[in-house]
């Protein structure tokens, strides 16, 4: 049975400010390591009032400092927004503080809109250099070579594990070529999931970091003690995505009883497409959903997103997911 990990959106809600969102994230991570989750990742997003993880390396340090054993990392850093040396310095520092616990997932999307991209002082064409930037970053994290004049201090020699993230087949091909683990963002872009996994496995070349393919896939899981309550909790995520289509990004909204009154038929279809890889329900429903997803994809890990408004309900969801996973692992 595949391992389970968490991608936390660090949601700012109508009742919880950014500080509260960050404290909730660290609290979730502390529970998650006791429940058997492998990793706890946060992602780089900019100019989004409802997400508090823009300073991703700072957030990772905060979460790692509040946990003991779970791996903590980026899912991911949008490398075109940064100089590779700067990211090496940041994550090398984290690795020195929390050895053996830091992951660095890399994406080539901006993680924001084009106007904000200019505010970040990055060239919009920098995404075209993504493969070269990955190699440069990898070199800065490796032990210094004879005659090397520039070192990323204190990153050199930490060999922080790199992951390639993607929502299309491009990332799959790059991860395979470089011999790196691959994470597919099927929690919001499920269309090319199976094609990307097939390409990654078929083209994989062993590397110093990894001798065989290792694939992770994102999945939305909303768990509650009843199917009806899980469906109600899931309306928070459905509202958020509908608002993205409306150009009205903002704070996370509490769940509502009748989602049909909120969206139009066209919006509903778009949200259903976005959330096609989702499991919403009671523990039995979640168990069956996890089992089916792993059987279909053959992934080594599930990156679980449980986007729930209330922190206690979110904790309960992740606890139920862990229990369902433990049952499947025991049965296997």
């Amino acid at each position: 049975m595949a391992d389970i990990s968490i991608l936390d959106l660090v949601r700012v809600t109508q009742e919880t400010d950014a500080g509260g969102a960050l404290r909730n994230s660290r609290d979730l991570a502390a529970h998650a390591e006791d429940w058997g989750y492998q990793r706890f990742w946060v992602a780089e997003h900019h100019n989004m009032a409802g997400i508090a993880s823009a300073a991703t390396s700072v957030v990772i340090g905060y979460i790692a400092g509040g946990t003991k054993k779970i791996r903590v990392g980026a899912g991911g850093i949008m490398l075109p927004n940064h100089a590779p040396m700067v990211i090496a310095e940041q994550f090398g520092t984290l690795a020195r503080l929390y050895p053996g616990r830091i992951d660095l997932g890399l994406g080539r999307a901006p993680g924001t809109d084009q106007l904000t991209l200019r505010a970040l002082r990055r060239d919009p064409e920098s995404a075209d250099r993504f493969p070269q930037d990955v190699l440069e970053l990898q070199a800065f994290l490796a032990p210094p070579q004879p005659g090397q004049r520039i070192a990323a201090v204190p990153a050199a020699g930490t060999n922080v594990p790199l992951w390639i993230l993607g929502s299309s087949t491009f990332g799959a091909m790059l991860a395979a070529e470089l011999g790196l683990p691959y994470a597919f963002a099927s929690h919001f872009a499920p269309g090319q999931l199976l094609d990307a996994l097939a390409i990654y496995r078929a083209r994989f070349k062993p590397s110093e970091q990894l001798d065989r393919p290792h694939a992770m896939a994102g999945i939305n899981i909303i768990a509650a003690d009843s199917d009806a309550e899980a469906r109600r909790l899931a309306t928070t995520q459905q509202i958020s995505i509908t608002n993205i289509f409306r150009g009205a990004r903002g704070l996370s909204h509490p769940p509502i009883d009748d989602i049909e009154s909120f969206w139009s038929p066209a919006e509903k279809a778009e949200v259903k497409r976005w959330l096609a890889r989702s499991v919403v329900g009671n523990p039995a429903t979640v168990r069956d959903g996890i089992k089916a997803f792993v059987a279909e994809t053959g992934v080594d890990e599930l990156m679980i997103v449980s986007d729930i408004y209330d922190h206690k309900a979110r904790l309960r969801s992740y606890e139920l997911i862990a229990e369902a996973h433990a049952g499947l692992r025991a049965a296997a």
Side-chain angles (χ1 to χ4, degrees):
M1 174 52 60
D3 290 328
I4 52 173
S5 296
I6 291 174
L7 175 62
D8 186 30
L9 300 178
V10 198
R11 285 286 196 188
V12 182
T13 74
Q14 294 181 352
E15 299 173 11
T16 305
D17 64 9
L22 291 163
R23 288 187 287 273
N24 285 342
S25 186
R26 185 155 91 159
D27 183 59
L28 172 58
H31 283 85
E33 66 180 358
D34 290 336
W35 293 331
Y37 286 91
Q38 179 79 4
R39 309 173 199 278
F40 191 95
W41 283 4
V42 295
E44 177 186 349
H45 296 281
H46 299 284
N47 194 30
M48 295 186 185
I51 297 178
S53 55
T56 314
S57 60
V58 178
V59 177
I60 290 169
Y62 175 68
I63 293 169
T67 52
K68 298 177 181 178
K69 59 186 178 181
I70 194 169
R71 297 191 67 91
V72 185
I77 289 291
M78 302 299 106
L79 194 54
N81 295 343
H82 311 277
M85 183 175 178
V86 172
I87 296 303
E89 290 169 342
Q90 292 175 2
F91 280 79
T93 300
L94 289 167
R96 297 295 184 188
L97 291 170
Y98 308 103
R101 294 183 55 206
I102 302 299
D103 297 325
L104 177 47
L106 302 169
R108 69 180 181 125
T112 189
D113 56 83
Q114 292 300 310
L115 184 63
T116 306
L117 186 63
R118 289 195 289 273
L120 291 168
R121 299 295 193 271
R122 298 302 290 165
D123 178 358
E125 297 181 359
S126 59
D128 296 337
R129 300 191 294 272
F130 180 66
Q132 292 76 22
D133 284 351
V134 172
L135 292 173
E136 183 177 342
L137 173 59
Q138 192 173 45
F140 277 129
L141 293 168
Q145 298 301 303
Q148 181 175 328
R149 299 181 62 186
I150 302 175
V153 179
T158 57
N159 292 312
V160 175
L162 301 183
W163 289 69
I164 299 297
L165 314 183
S167 57
S168 68
T169 56
F170 175 87
M173 290 186 284
L174 180 61
E177 179 65 26
L178 300 182
L180 296 176
Y182 178 56
F184 190 90
S186 40
H187 59 290
F188 71 86
Q192 298 186 64
L193 170 62
L194 298 180
D195 289 342
L197 292 176
I199 288 170
Y200 172 62
R201 291 168 178 143
R203 301 189 182 188
F204 182 84
K205 298 178 181 178
S207 67
E208 291 186 14
Q209 180 176 327
L210 197 63
D211 61 357
R212 56 185 160 182
H214 186 96
M216 177 193 295
I219 181 172
N220 301 288
I221 304 181
I222 306 294
D225 292 308
S226 70
D227 282 346
E229 178 59 14
R231 287 193 296 268
R232 181 178 179 275
L233 293 173
T235 60
T236 288
Q237 188 178 37
Q238 293 166 337
I239 291 169
S240 294
I241 296 171
T242 302
N243 282 336
I244 289 174
F245 296 135
R246 294 176 179 178
R249 295 176 186 267
L251 303 182
S252 183
H253 288 251
I256 58 178
D257 294 327
D258 181 17
I259 188 65
E260 300 299 332
S261 66
F262 179 79
W263 55 20
S264 70
E267 289 170 338
K268 178 180 179 179
E270 284 297 309
V271 173
K272 289 186 70 174
R273 179 188 60 78
W274 185 305
L275 298 178
R277 293 295 184 172
S278 297
V279 178
V280 178
N282 65 29
T285 301
V286 169
R287 183 182 62 247
D288 292 345
I290 291 174
K291 184 177 180 180
F293 185 81
V294 174
E296 181 185 12
T297 62
V299 292
D300 303 286
E301 292 188 46
L302 302 177
M303 180 57 74
I304 297 169
V305 177
S306 196
D307 188 4
I308 293 174
Y309 185 84
D310 178 74
H311 182 56
K312 289 183 179 179
R314 185 170 63 140
L315 289 176
R316 180 59 175 160
S317 178
Y318 277 115
E319 183 180 21
L320 291 173
I321 294 165
E323 290 173 357
H325 175 261
L328 289 169
R329 178 159 278 178

